[in-house]
Amino acid sequence: MKLNEIREMTTSELNNKVYELKQQLFELRRKKAVGALEHGEQVTRVRKDIARCLMVLRERELNINVK
């Protein structure tokens, strides 16, 4: 996900997206543990997407205006 796409989402959409991404991360970690994960970089991508979403939520909480 791109940062611009994330910033266009509402706060409730962001919260839902974080929840979905955490569920996806759980499933990816489970697959990795049993050796069924083909592309290990998916875990990294999902973790970074979660971090981006949480960063935007925090910016909104602190009322930081980003161009």
Side-chain angles (χ1 to χ4, degrees):
M1 290 178 55
K2 300 278 184 178
L3 194 54
N4 291 334
E5 295 171 5
I6 295 171
R7 285 199 171 114
E8 290 174 0
M9 293 178 164
T10 64
T11 303
S12 62
E13 289 175 337
L14 273 174
N15 286 326
N16 290 335
K17 188 66 173 175
V18 169
Y19 180 75
E20 291 171 10
L21 287 169
K22 285 185 178 183
Q23 285 181 332
Q24 185 178 358
L25 182 61
F26 176 78
E27 288 299 318
L28 288 172
R29 285 182 176 163
R30 187 186 57 79
K31 286 181 183 179
K32 186 176 181 180
V34 296
L37 185 63
E38 294 180 9
H39 303 286
E41 68 273 3
Q42 288 177 332
V43 175
T44 305
R45 180 185 50 81
V46 171
R47 287 179 61 219
K48 287 183 179 184
D49 286 344
I50 291 171
R52 286 185 191 106
C53 290
L54 292 175
M55 179 190 69
V56 171
L57 285 170
R58 182 69 177 158
E59 284 175 350
R60 290 180 183 176
E61 184 178 315
L62 297 174
N63 293 323
I64 297 174
N65 294 327
V66 180
K67 294 179 181 178

Short mmCIF file of all heavy atoms in Angstrom, two decimals:
data_model
loop_
_atom_site.label_atom_id
_atom_site.label_comp_id
_atom_site.label_asym_id
_atom_site.label_seq_id
_atom_site.Cartn_x
_atom_site.Cartn_y
_atom_site.Cartn_z
N MET A 1 0.84 -1.18 0.00
CA MET A 1 0.00 0.00 0.00
C MET A 1 0.88 1.24 0.00
O MET A 1 1.91 1.29 0.64
CB MET A 1 -0.89 0.02 1.24
CG MET A 1 -1.97 -1.01 1.24
SD MET A 1 -2.96 -1.02 2.73
CE MET A 1 -3.52 0.66 2.81
N LYS A 2 0.42 2.23 -0.69
CA LYS A 2 1.12 3.50 -0.74
C LYS A 2 0.65 4.39 0.40
O LYS A 2 -0.49 4.30 0.85
CB LYS A 2 0.84 4.21 -2.07
CG LYS A 2 1.26 3.43 -3.28
CD LYS A 2 2.70 3.60 -3.55
CE LYS A 2 3.07 2.90 -4.84
NZ LYS A 2 4.43 3.07 -5.16
N LEU A 3 1.52 5.25 0.85
CA LEU A 3 1.21 6.15 1.95
C LEU A 3 0.08 7.10 1.59
O LEU A 3 -0.77 7.42 2.43
CB LEU A 3 2.46 6.91 2.38
CG LEU A 3 2.41 7.64 3.69
CD1 LEU A 3 2.01 6.70 4.82
CD2 LEU A 3 3.74 8.27 4.01
N ASN A 4 0.04 7.55 0.33
CA ASN A 4 -1.05 8.44 -0.10
C ASN A 4 -2.40 7.75 -0.01
O ASN A 4 -3.40 8.37 0.36
CB ASN A 4 -0.81 8.92 -1.53
CG ASN A 4 0.39 9.86 -1.60
OD1 ASN A 4 0.73 10.51 -0.63
ND2 ASN A 4 1.02 9.90 -2.76
N GLU A 5 -2.45 6.46 -0.36
CA GLU A 5 -3.70 5.71 -0.27
C GLU A 5 -4.16 5.60 1.18
O GLU A 5 -5.35 5.71 1.47
CB GLU A 5 -3.51 4.30 -0.82
CG GLU A 5 -3.20 4.23 -2.29
CD GLU A 5 -2.81 2.83 -2.73
OE1 GLU A 5 -2.89 1.89 -1.91
OE2 GLU A 5 -2.43 2.68 -3.90
N ILE A 6 -3.21 5.40 2.06
CA ILE A 6 -3.53 5.26 3.48
C ILE A 6 -4.06 6.57 4.04
O ILE A 6 -5.02 6.59 4.81
CB ILE A 6 -2.30 4.77 4.26
CG1 ILE A 6 -1.92 3.37 3.80
CG2 ILE A 6 -2.55 4.79 5.76
CD1 ILE A 6 -0.60 2.88 4.33
N ARG A 7 -3.45 7.67 3.65
CA ARG A 7 -3.87 8.98 4.17
C ARG A 7 -5.26 9.37 3.68
O ARG A 7 -5.93 10.17 4.32
CB ARG A 7 -2.85 10.04 3.79
CG ARG A 7 -1.60 9.95 4.62
CD ARG A 7 -0.79 11.24 4.59
NE ARG A 7 0.28 11.15 5.57
CZ ARG A 7 1.57 11.12 5.28
NH1 ARG A 7 1.96 11.17 4.02
NH2 ARG A 7 2.48 11.05 6.23
N GLU A 8 -5.70 8.81 2.56
CA GLU A 8 -7.03 9.12 2.04
C GLU A 8 -8.13 8.38 2.80
O GLU A 8 -9.29 8.75 2.71
CB GLU A 8 -7.10 8.77 0.56
CG GLU A 8 -6.27 9.69 -0.31
CD GLU A 8 -6.23 9.24 -1.76
OE1 GLU A 8 -6.85 8.20 -2.09
OE2 GLU A 8 -5.57 9.92 -2.55
N MET A 9 -7.77 7.34 3.56
CA MET A 9 -8.76 6.56 4.30
C MET A 9 -9.23 7.32 5.54
O MET A 9 -8.51 8.15 6.07
CB MET A 9 -8.14 5.23 4.77
CG MET A 9 -7.79 4.29 3.69
SD MET A 9 -7.05 2.83 4.42
CE MET A 9 -7.16 1.69 3.08
N THR A 10 -10.44 7.00 5.96
CA THR A 10 -10.94 7.58 7.20
C THR A 10 -10.33 6.82 8.38
O THR A 10 -9.74 5.75 8.21
CB THR A 10 -12.48 7.47 7.28
OG1 THR A 10 -12.84 6.10 7.32
CG2 THR A 10 -13.14 8.16 6.10
N THR A 11 -10.51 7.35 9.57
CA THR A 11 -9.94 6.73 10.76
C THR A 11 -10.55 5.35 11.01
O THR A 11 -9.83 4.41 11.35
CB THR A 11 -10.16 7.64 11.98
OG1 THR A 11 -9.56 8.92 11.70
CG2 THR A 11 -9.51 7.07 13.22
N SER A 12 -11.84 5.22 10.83
CA SER A 12 -12.47 3.92 11.04
C SER A 12 -12.00 2.90 10.00
O SER A 12 -11.80 1.73 10.32
CB SER A 12 -13.99 4.04 11.03
OG SER A 12 -14.43 4.51 9.78
N GLU A 13 -11.83 3.35 8.76
CA GLU A 13 -11.29 2.45 7.72
C GLU A 13 -9.88 2.02 8.07
O GLU A 13 -9.51 0.85 7.86
CB GLU A 13 -11.28 3.14 6.36
CG GLU A 13 -12.64 3.35 5.74
CD GLU A 13 -12.60 4.14 4.46
OE1 GLU A 13 -11.63 4.89 4.23
OE2 GLU A 13 -13.56 4.01 3.68
N LEU A 14 -9.09 2.94 8.60
CA LEU A 14 -7.73 2.60 9.00
C LEU A 14 -7.70 1.57 10.12
O LEU A 14 -6.90 0.64 10.10
CB LEU A 14 -6.96 3.85 9.43
CG LEU A 14 -6.27 4.63 8.31
CD1 LEU A 14 -5.67 5.91 8.86
CD2 LEU A 14 -5.21 3.80 7.64
N ASN A 15 -8.56 1.76 11.10
CA ASN A 15 -8.63 0.80 12.20
C ASN A 15 -9.01 -0.58 11.70
O ASN A 15 -8.44 -1.59 12.13
CB ASN A 15 -9.61 1.28 13.27
CG ASN A 15 -9.06 2.41 14.09
OD1 ASN A 15 -7.86 2.46 14.35
ND2 ASN A 15 -9.91 3.32 14.48
N ASN A 16 -9.97 -0.64 10.78
CA ASN A 16 -10.36 -1.92 10.19
C ASN A 16 -9.22 -2.53 9.38
O ASN A 16 -9.01 -3.74 9.41
CB ASN A 16 -11.60 -1.75 9.30
CG ASN A 16 -12.84 -1.46 10.10
OD1 ASN A 16 -12.94 -1.82 11.26
ND2 ASN A 16 -13.79 -0.80 9.46
N LYS A 17 -8.50 -1.70 8.66
CA LYS A 17 -7.38 -2.18 7.85
C LYS A 17 -6.28 -2.76 8.73
O LYS A 17 -5.70 -3.80 8.42
CB LYS A 17 -6.83 -1.03 6.98
CG LYS A 17 -5.82 -1.48 5.98
CD LYS A 17 -6.46 -2.37 4.95
CE LYS A 17 -5.49 -2.69 3.83
NZ LYS A 17 -6.05 -3.64 2.88
N VAL A 18 -5.99 -2.10 9.85
CA VAL A 18 -4.98 -2.60 10.78
C VAL A 18 -5.40 -3.97 11.32
O VAL A 18 -4.60 -4.90 11.40
CB VAL A 18 -4.72 -1.60 11.94
CG1 VAL A 18 -3.89 -2.23 13.04
CG2 VAL A 18 -4.04 -0.36 11.40
N TYR A 19 -6.67 -4.10 11.65
CA TYR A 19 -7.20 -5.37 12.15
C TYR A 19 -7.04 -6.48 11.11
O TYR A 19 -6.57 -7.58 11.40
CB TYR A 19 -8.67 -5.21 12.55
CG TYR A 19 -9.29 -6.46 13.09
CD1 TYR A 19 -9.00 -6.90 14.37
CD2 TYR A 19 -10.17 -7.21 12.32
CE1 TYR A 19 -9.57 -8.07 14.87
CE2 TYR A 19 -10.74 -8.37 12.81
CZ TYR A 19 -10.43 -8.80 14.08
OH TYR A 19 -10.98 -9.95 14.57
N GLU A 20 -7.40 -6.18 9.86
CA GLU A 20 -7.28 -7.15 8.78
C GLU A 20 -5.82 -7.54 8.54
O GLU A 20 -5.51 -8.71 8.32
CB GLU A 20 -7.86 -6.59 7.49
CG GLU A 20 -9.36 -6.41 7.50
CD GLU A 20 -9.86 -5.65 6.29
OE1 GLU A 20 -9.07 -5.42 5.34
OE2 GLU A 20 -11.04 -5.29 6.28
N LEU A 21 -4.94 -6.54 8.56
CA LEU A 21 -3.52 -6.81 8.33
C LEU A 21 -2.92 -7.65 9.45
O LEU A 21 -2.09 -8.54 9.19
CB LEU A 21 -2.74 -5.50 8.18
CG LEU A 21 -2.97 -4.75 6.87
CD1 LEU A 21 -2.36 -3.35 6.95
CD2 LEU A 21 -2.41 -5.51 5.69
N LYS A 22 -3.36 -7.43 10.69
CA LYS A 22 -2.86 -8.24 11.79
C LYS A 22 -3.33 -9.68 11.67
O LYS A 22 -2.57 -10.61 11.98
CB LYS A 22 -3.27 -7.64 13.14
CG LYS A 22 -2.47 -6.41 13.49
CD LYS A 22 -2.81 -5.88 14.86
CE LYS A 22 -1.93 -4.68 15.20
NZ LYS A 22 -2.18 -4.19 16.56
N GLN A 23 -4.56 -9.87 11.20
CA GLN A 23 -5.04 -11.23 10.97
C GLN A 23 -4.24 -11.90 9.86
O GLN A 23 -3.87 -13.08 9.95
CB GLN A 23 -6.52 -11.22 10.58
CG GLN A 23 -7.45 -10.96 11.72
CD GLN A 23 -8.90 -10.98 11.26
OE1 GLN A 23 -9.22 -10.69 10.12
NE2 GLN A 23 -9.78 -11.36 12.18
N GLN A 24 -3.96 -11.14 8.81
CA GLN A 24 -3.17 -11.67 7.69
C GLN A 24 -1.77 -12.03 8.15
O GLN A 24 -1.22 -13.07 7.76
CB GLN A 24 -3.12 -10.62 6.57
CG GLN A 24 -2.45 -11.09 5.31
CD GLN A 24 -2.47 -10.03 4.23
OE1 GLN A 24 -3.03 -8.94 4.39
NE2 GLN A 24 -1.85 -10.33 3.12
N LEU A 25 -1.17 -11.19 8.99
CA LEU A 25 0.17 -11.45 9.51
C LEU A 25 0.18 -12.73 10.35
O LEU A 25 1.11 -13.54 10.26
CB LEU A 25 0.66 -10.27 10.34
CG LEU A 25 2.06 -10.37 10.93
CD1 LEU A 25 3.10 -10.49 9.83
CD2 LEU A 25 2.35 -9.16 11.80
N PHE A 26 -0.86 -12.93 11.15
CA PHE A 26 -0.96 -14.14 11.95
C PHE A 26 -0.97 -15.38 11.06
O PHE A 26 -0.27 -16.36 11.32
CB PHE A 26 -2.23 -14.09 12.82
CG PHE A 26 -2.46 -15.34 13.60
CD1 PHE A 26 -1.75 -15.59 14.76
CD2 PHE A 26 -3.37 -16.29 13.16
CE1 PHE A 26 -1.96 -16.76 15.48
CE2 PHE A 26 -3.59 -17.45 13.88
CZ PHE A 26 -2.87 -17.69 15.03
N GLU A 27 -1.79 -15.33 9.99
CA GLU A 27 -1.87 -16.46 9.08
C GLU A 27 -0.53 -16.71 8.37
O GLU A 27 -0.12 -17.85 8.19
CB GLU A 27 -2.97 -16.24 8.04
CG GLU A 27 -4.36 -16.36 8.61
CD GLU A 27 -4.64 -17.74 9.19
OE1 GLU A 27 -4.25 -18.75 8.57
OE2 GLU A 27 -5.25 -17.79 10.27
N LEU A 28 0.15 -15.64 7.98
CA LEU A 28 1.45 -15.79 7.32
C LEU A 28 2.48 -16.40 8.26
O LEU A 28 3.27 -17.26 7.85
CB LEU A 28 1.94 -14.44 6.80
CG LEU A 28 1.20 -13.88 5.59
CD1 LEU A 28 1.66 -12.45 5.31
CD2 LEU A 28 1.38 -14.75 4.36
N ARG A 29 2.47 -15.97 9.51
CA ARG A 29 3.41 -16.53 10.49
C ARG A 29 3.11 -18.01 10.75
O ARG A 29 4.02 -18.82 10.92
CB ARG A 29 3.36 -15.75 11.79
CG ARG A 29 4.04 -14.42 11.71
CD ARG A 29 3.99 -13.71 13.04
NE ARG A 29 4.74 -12.46 12.99
CZ ARG A 29 4.61 -11.50 13.87
NH1 ARG A 29 3.76 -11.64 14.88
NH2 ARG A 29 5.32 -10.40 13.77
N ARG A 30 1.82 -18.35 10.77
CA ARG A 30 1.44 -19.75 10.96
C ARG A 30 1.93 -20.60 9.79
O ARG A 30 2.50 -21.67 9.98
CB ARG A 30 -0.08 -19.87 11.09
CG ARG A 30 -0.56 -21.27 11.46
CD ARG A 30 -2.07 -21.38 11.44
NE ARG A 30 -2.66 -21.03 10.15
CZ ARG A 30 -2.69 -21.83 9.07
NH1 ARG A 30 -2.14 -23.01 9.13
NH2 ARG A 30 -3.25 -21.42 7.96
N LYS A 31 1.73 -20.11 8.58
CA LYS A 31 2.20 -20.83 7.40
C LYS A 31 3.72 -20.97 7.40
O LYS A 31 4.26 -22.00 7.01
CB LYS A 31 1.75 -20.12 6.13
CG LYS A 31 0.29 -20.29 5.82
CD LYS A 31 -0.06 -19.58 4.53
CE LYS A 31 -1.55 -19.69 4.24
NZ LYS A 31 -1.91 -18.99 3.00
N LYS A 32 4.40 -19.92 7.83
CA LYS A 32 5.86 -19.95 7.88
C LYS A 32 6.34 -21.00 8.88
O LYS A 32 7.33 -21.70 8.64
CB LYS A 32 6.40 -18.57 8.26
CG LYS A 32 7.89 -18.45 8.19
CD LYS A 32 8.34 -17.03 8.48
CE LYS A 32 9.84 -16.92 8.39
NZ LYS A 32 10.30 -15.56 8.67
N ALA A 33 5.64 -21.12 9.99
CA ALA A 33 6.03 -22.08 11.03
C ALA A 33 5.91 -23.52 10.56
O ALA A 33 6.72 -24.37 10.94
CB ALA A 33 5.19 -21.87 12.29
N VAL A 34 4.92 -23.82 9.73
CA VAL A 34 4.74 -25.18 9.25
C VAL A 34 5.44 -25.42 7.91
O VAL A 34 5.39 -26.52 7.37
CB VAL A 34 3.25 -25.58 9.14
CG1 VAL A 34 2.59 -25.57 10.49
CG2 VAL A 34 2.52 -24.68 8.15
N GLY A 35 6.06 -24.39 7.38
CA GLY A 35 6.82 -24.52 6.14
C GLY A 35 6.00 -24.43 4.88
O GLY A 35 6.43 -24.86 3.82
N ALA A 36 4.80 -23.88 4.96
CA ALA A 36 3.92 -23.78 3.80
C ALA A 36 3.99 -22.40 3.12
O ALA A 36 3.31 -22.18 2.13
CB ALA A 36 2.48 -24.05 4.21
N LEU A 37 4.82 -21.51 3.62
CA LEU A 37 4.90 -20.16 3.06
C LEU A 37 5.93 -20.15 1.94
O LEU A 37 7.10 -20.47 2.15
CB LEU A 37 5.27 -19.16 4.16
CG LEU A 37 5.29 -17.69 3.76
CD1 LEU A 37 3.90 -17.24 3.34
CD2 LEU A 37 5.78 -16.83 4.90
N GLU A 38 5.49 -19.77 0.74
CA GLU A 38 6.38 -19.76 -0.42
C GLU A 38 7.17 -18.47 -0.53
O GLU A 38 8.35 -18.49 -0.88
CB GLU A 38 5.58 -19.99 -1.69
CG GLU A 38 4.95 -21.35 -1.78
CD GLU A 38 4.17 -21.53 -3.06
OE1 GLU A 38 4.27 -20.67 -3.95
OE2 GLU A 38 3.45 -22.54 -3.16
N HIS A 39 6.54 -17.36 -0.23
CA HIS A 39 7.18 -16.06 -0.38
C HIS A 39 7.33 -15.40 1.00
O HIS A 39 6.39 -14.81 1.51
CB HIS A 39 6.38 -15.15 -1.31
CG HIS A 39 6.18 -15.75 -2.68
ND1 HIS A 39 7.19 -15.83 -3.60
CD2 HIS A 39 5.10 -16.32 -3.25
CE1 HIS A 39 6.74 -16.41 -4.69
NE2 HIS A 39 5.47 -16.72 -4.50
N GLY A 40 8.51 -15.49 1.57
CA GLY A 40 8.75 -14.97 2.91
C GLY A 40 8.68 -13.47 3.00
O GLY A 40 8.45 -12.91 4.08
N GLU A 41 8.84 -12.79 1.87
CA GLU A 41 8.80 -11.32 1.89
C GLU A 41 7.40 -10.79 2.15
O GLU A 41 7.24 -9.61 2.46
CB GLU A 41 9.36 -10.74 0.59
CG GLU A 41 8.52 -11.00 -0.64
CD GLU A 41 8.82 -12.31 -1.34
OE1 GLU A 41 9.66 -13.08 -0.85
OE2 GLU A 41 8.20 -12.56 -2.38
N GLN A 42 6.39 -11.63 2.06
CA GLN A 42 5.02 -11.21 2.37
C GLN A 42 4.90 -10.78 3.82
O GLN A 42 4.19 -9.82 4.13
CB GLN A 42 4.03 -12.34 2.10
CG GLN A 42 3.80 -12.64 0.64
CD GLN A 42 2.86 -13.81 0.45
OE1 GLN A 42 2.78 -14.69 1.31
NE2 GLN A 42 2.16 -13.82 -0.67
N VAL A 43 5.61 -11.46 4.71
CA VAL A 43 5.57 -11.11 6.13
C VAL A 43 6.11 -9.70 6.32
O VAL A 43 5.50 -8.87 7.02
CB VAL A 43 6.38 -12.13 6.97
CG1 VAL A 43 6.45 -11.69 8.42
CG2 VAL A 43 5.78 -13.51 6.85
N THR A 44 7.20 -9.40 5.67
CA THR A 44 7.82 -8.07 5.78
C THR A 44 6.89 -7.00 5.22
O THR A 44 6.73 -5.93 5.81
CB THR A 44 9.16 -8.04 5.03
OG1 THR A 44 9.99 -9.09 5.53
CG2 THR A 44 9.86 -6.72 5.20
N ARG A 45 6.26 -7.28 4.07
CA ARG A 45 5.36 -6.32 3.44
C ARG A 45 4.17 -6.00 4.34
O ARG A 45 3.81 -4.84 4.52
CB ARG A 45 4.87 -6.86 2.09
CG ARG A 45 3.94 -5.92 1.36
CD ARG A 45 3.37 -6.55 0.10
NE ARG A 45 2.80 -7.87 0.31
CZ ARG A 45 1.57 -8.08 0.80
NH1 ARG A 45 0.81 -7.07 1.15
NH2 ARG A 45 1.12 -9.32 0.96
N VAL A 46 3.59 -7.03 4.95
CA VAL A 46 2.43 -6.82 5.82
C VAL A 46 2.83 -6.05 7.07
O VAL A 46 2.10 -5.15 7.51
CB VAL A 46 1.77 -8.17 6.18
CG1 VAL A 46 0.70 -8.00 7.24
CG2 VAL A 46 1.17 -8.81 4.93
N ARG A 47 3.99 -6.37 7.63
CA ARG A 47 4.45 -5.64 8.82
C ARG A 47 4.65 -4.16 8.51
O ARG A 47 4.29 -3.28 9.32
CB ARG A 47 5.75 -6.24 9.34
CG ARG A 47 5.55 -7.58 10.02
CD ARG A 47 6.85 -8.18 10.50
NE ARG A 47 7.48 -7.32 11.47
CZ ARG A 47 8.80 -7.11 11.52
NH1 ARG A 47 9.61 -7.71 10.68
NH2 ARG A 47 9.30 -6.32 12.43
N LYS A 48 5.20 -3.86 7.34
CA LYS A 48 5.41 -2.46 6.96
C LYS A 48 4.08 -1.74 6.71
O LYS A 48 3.94 -0.56 7.04
CB LYS A 48 6.30 -2.38 5.72
CG LYS A 48 7.74 -2.70 6.05
CD LYS A 48 8.64 -2.55 4.84
CE LYS A 48 10.08 -2.85 5.21
NZ LYS A 48 11.00 -2.62 4.10
N ASP A 49 3.11 -2.45 6.12
CA ASP A 49 1.79 -1.84 5.91
C ASP A 49 1.12 -1.52 7.25
O ASP A 49 0.50 -0.47 7.39
CB ASP A 49 0.90 -2.78 5.10
CG ASP A 49 1.28 -2.82 3.62
OD1 ASP A 49 2.01 -1.92 3.17
OD2 ASP A 49 0.82 -3.76 2.93
N ILE A 50 1.26 -2.42 8.22
CA ILE A 50 0.71 -2.16 9.56
C ILE A 50 1.37 -0.92 10.15
O ILE A 50 0.69 -0.04 10.70
CB ILE A 50 0.90 -3.37 10.48
CG1 ILE A 50 0.03 -4.54 10.02
CG2 ILE A 50 0.58 -3.01 11.94
CD1 ILE A 50 0.31 -5.84 10.73
N ALA A 51 2.67 -0.82 10.02
CA ALA A 51 3.40 0.33 10.57
C ALA A 51 2.96 1.62 9.90
O ALA A 51 2.80 2.65 10.58
CB ALA A 51 4.90 0.12 10.40
N ARG A 52 2.75 1.60 8.60
CA ARG A 52 2.30 2.81 7.89
C ARG A 52 0.92 3.25 8.39
O ARG A 52 0.69 4.44 8.62
CB ARG A 52 2.25 2.55 6.39
CG ARG A 52 3.60 2.51 5.74
CD ARG A 52 3.45 2.37 4.22
NE ARG A 52 4.74 2.07 3.64
CZ ARG A 52 5.10 0.87 3.17
NH1 ARG A 52 4.23 -0.13 3.19
NH2 ARG A 52 6.29 0.67 2.66
N CYS A 53 0.03 2.30 8.54
CA CYS A 53 -1.32 2.62 9.02
C CYS A 53 -1.29 3.20 10.43
O CYS A 53 -1.95 4.19 10.73
CB CYS A 53 -2.20 1.39 8.99
SG CYS A 53 -2.62 0.82 7.33
N LEU A 54 -0.51 2.57 11.29
CA LEU A 54 -0.40 3.07 12.67
C LEU A 54 0.24 4.44 12.71
O LEU A 54 -0.12 5.28 13.55
CB LEU A 54 0.37 2.08 13.52
CG LEU A 54 -0.33 0.74 13.78
CD1 LEU A 54 0.60 -0.20 14.55
CD2 LEU A 54 -1.63 0.94 14.53
N MET A 55 1.20 4.71 11.81
CA MET A 55 1.84 6.02 11.76
C MET A 55 0.82 7.10 11.40
O MET A 55 0.77 8.17 12.02
CB MET A 55 2.97 6.02 10.74
CG MET A 55 3.67 7.37 10.61
SD MET A 55 4.82 7.46 9.24
CE MET A 55 3.70 7.42 7.86
N VAL A 56 -0.02 6.83 10.41
CA VAL A 56 -1.03 7.80 9.99
C VAL A 56 -2.05 8.02 11.11
O VAL A 56 -2.46 9.16 11.37
CB VAL A 56 -1.71 7.36 8.68
CG1 VAL A 56 -2.90 8.24 8.35
CG2 VAL A 56 -0.71 7.37 7.54
N LEU A 57 -2.45 6.96 11.80
CA LEU A 57 -3.36 7.11 12.93
C LEU A 57 -2.76 7.98 14.01
O LEU A 57 -3.43 8.85 14.59
CB LEU A 57 -3.74 5.74 13.50
CG LEU A 57 -4.73 4.91 12.68
CD1 LEU A 57 -4.82 3.50 13.23
CD2 LEU A 57 -6.09 5.58 12.67
N ARG A 58 -1.49 7.78 14.29
CA ARG A 58 -0.80 8.58 15.31
C ARG A 58 -0.68 10.03 14.87
O ARG A 58 -0.85 10.95 15.69
CB ARG A 58 0.58 7.99 15.60
CG ARG A 58 1.35 8.70 16.67
CD ARG A 58 0.72 8.52 18.02
NE ARG A 58 1.56 9.18 19.00
CZ ARG A 58 1.16 9.59 20.17
NH1 ARG A 58 -0.07 9.36 20.57
NH2 ARG A 58 1.99 10.18 21.00
N GLU A 59 -0.41 10.27 13.59
CA GLU A 59 -0.34 11.64 13.09
C GLU A 59 -1.68 12.36 13.29
O GLU A 59 -1.71 13.51 13.69
CB GLU A 59 -0.02 11.64 11.59
CG GLU A 59 1.41 11.36 11.25
CD GLU A 59 1.65 11.26 9.75
OE1 GLU A 59 0.67 11.22 8.97
OE2 GLU A 59 2.82 11.21 9.37
N ARG A 60 -2.76 11.65 13.02
CA ARG A 60 -4.08 12.24 13.21
C ARG A 60 -4.36 12.51 14.68
O ARG A 60 -4.98 13.50 15.03
CB ARG A 60 -5.16 11.33 12.64
CG ARG A 60 -5.11 11.29 11.13
CD ARG A 60 -6.15 10.40 10.56
NE ARG A 60 -6.01 10.34 9.10
CZ ARG A 60 -6.72 9.59 8.33
NH1 ARG A 60 -7.67 8.81 8.84
NH2 ARG A 60 -6.53 9.58 7.03
N GLU A 61 -3.91 11.61 15.54
CA GLU A 61 -4.11 11.78 16.96
C GLU A 61 -3.39 13.01 17.49
O GLU A 61 -3.89 13.73 18.34
CB GLU A 61 -3.60 10.53 17.69
CG GLU A 61 -3.82 10.51 19.18
CD GLU A 61 -3.31 9.23 19.79
OE1 GLU A 61 -3.57 8.16 19.23
OE2 GLU A 61 -2.62 9.34 20.82
N LEU A 62 -2.21 13.28 16.93
CA LEU A 62 -1.42 14.43 17.35
C LEU A 62 -1.72 15.68 16.53
O LEU A 62 -1.09 16.72 16.75
CB LEU A 62 0.07 14.10 17.25
CG LEU A 62 0.56 12.99 18.16
CD1 LEU A 62 2.02 12.66 17.85
CD2 LEU A 62 0.40 13.36 19.61
N ASN A 63 -2.64 15.56 15.57
CA ASN A 63 -3.00 16.67 14.68
C ASN A 63 -1.82 17.24 13.91
O ASN A 63 -1.63 18.44 13.83
CB ASN A 63 -3.70 17.80 15.45
CG ASN A 63 -5.05 17.38 15.96
OD1 ASN A 63 -5.75 16.64 15.28
ND2 ASN A 63 -5.38 17.81 17.15
N ILE A 64 -1.02 16.33 13.39
CA ILE A 64 0.12 16.75 12.57
C ILE A 64 -0.35 16.85 11.14
O ILE A 64 -0.89 15.91 10.57
CB ILE A 64 1.28 15.73 12.68
CG1 ILE A 64 1.79 15.68 14.12
CG2 ILE A 64 2.40 16.08 11.72
CD1 ILE A 64 2.84 14.62 14.35
N ASN A 65 -0.12 18.02 10.53
CA ASN A 65 -0.54 18.21 9.14
C ASN A 65 0.63 17.87 8.22
O ASN A 65 1.68 18.49 8.26
CB ASN A 65 -0.96 19.67 8.91
CG ASN A 65 -2.20 20.02 9.70
OD1 ASN A 65 -3.05 19.16 9.89
ND2 ASN A 65 -2.28 21.25 10.16
N VAL A 66 0.43 16.87 7.39
CA VAL A 66 1.45 16.42 6.46
C VAL A 66 0.99 16.79 5.07
O VAL A 66 -0.16 16.58 4.69
CB VAL A 66 1.66 14.89 6.56
CG1 VAL A 66 2.71 14.44 5.58
CG2 VAL A 66 2.02 14.52 7.98
N LYS A 67 1.89 17.35 4.28
CA LYS A 67 1.56 17.78 2.92
C LYS A 67 1.38 16.62 2.00
O LYS A 67 1.89 15.60 2.05
CB LYS A 67 2.64 18.70 2.36
CG LYS A 67 2.72 20.00 3.12
CD LYS A 67 3.78 20.87 2.57
CE LYS A 67 3.88 22.16 3.35
NZ LYS A 67 4.92 23.03 2.89
#
